[in-house]
Amino acid sequence: MTAALRCYDPPSLCERLRNAHAMTRPVMLDIIDKACRRFPSLGQSERSARVMRLVDAEAWADAALALMELELPLWQVRRIAYDEGEWYCALSRERELPDWLDAAVEARHADLALALLSAFVEVQALAADKSRPSVPSVRPAPDPLYEPVGCDNFG
């Protein structure tokens, strides 16, 4: 199934992650199915196989990080912190910028893998909102009857 035909509903996926108590195989496979565009591509078969090996081993945090590496090559983990029973995860495109200049996407959850995947889904939702065509746009040829005219009076 192509990414264009999939029903990607970020709010419901985020809500499912927020309400989950712990990471499970069905939750991970649902995220891969609904939020991942690069995962099934032929050129990424080695990386996709690595993610599936981690899922099979139930190494949820490692699988989440490998999935982010595959799906979001321009994004990096900016911060992972644990405070008062919750994991905080921030993803950023400009990790070297100070916090106050960076537009990081942040998420939190009591489970580390769910915090990572919540941030991942948020970034995927941003990417879906700002979808651009894969082919650059080309300006139309100028009208042959169009001729710019200067109308300033310098006299």
Side-chain angles (χ1 to χ4, degrees):
M1 185 179 288
T2 64
L5 297 176
R6 286 189 213 157
C7 179
Y8 179 50
D9 186 17
S12 69
L13 202 51
C14 289
E15 187 68 26
R16 182 171 179 192
L17 291 172
R18 249 190 312 274
N19 292 333
H21 296 290
M23 178 56 74
T24 62
R25 183 179 177 83
V27 171
M28 179 62 99
L29 295 178
D30 195 32
I31 290 169
I32 290 171
D33 183 50
K34 292 182 179 171
C36 296
R37 295 172 297 170
R38 295 178 182 199
F39 189 83
S41 67
L42 295 175
Q44 302 290 339
S45 61
E46 183 180 320
R47 288 182 173 183
S48 299
R50 178 174 176 251
V51 171
M52 289 312 297
R53 282 192 308 271
L54 291 168
V55 169
D56 291 338
E58 296 185 2
W60 303 125
D62 291 335
L65 291 169
L67 194 61
M68 283 191 262
E69 181 183 343
L70 173 67
E71 290 288 323
L72 305 172
L74 299 177
W75 291 77
Q76 299 173 341
V77 175
R78 179 177 181 88
R79 179 178 56 252
I80 296 175
Y82 184 77
D83 187 29
E84 296 184 11
E86 285 193 318
W87 287 96
Y88 293 82
C89 175
L91 301 179
S92 171
R93 290 187 76 175
E94 301 291 336
R95 192 172 69 179
E96 302 304 320
L97 287 177
D99 282 345
W100 59 277
L101 282 176
D102 189 21
V105 174
E106 297 184 10
R108 65 185 183 153
H109 199 280
D111 184 85
L112 174 59
L114 290 170
L116 290 166
L117 288 171
S118 295
F120 169 76
V121 169
E122 291 288 334
V123 170
Q124 290 290 66
L126 287 175
D129 289 344
K130 297 179 182 178
S131 64
R132 295 176 290 179
S134 60
V135 178
S137 60
V138 178
R139 292 185 184 180
D143 185 4
L145 299 177
Y146 173 78
E147 186 174 332
V149 177
C151 57
D152 289 334
N153 183 359
F154 295 111

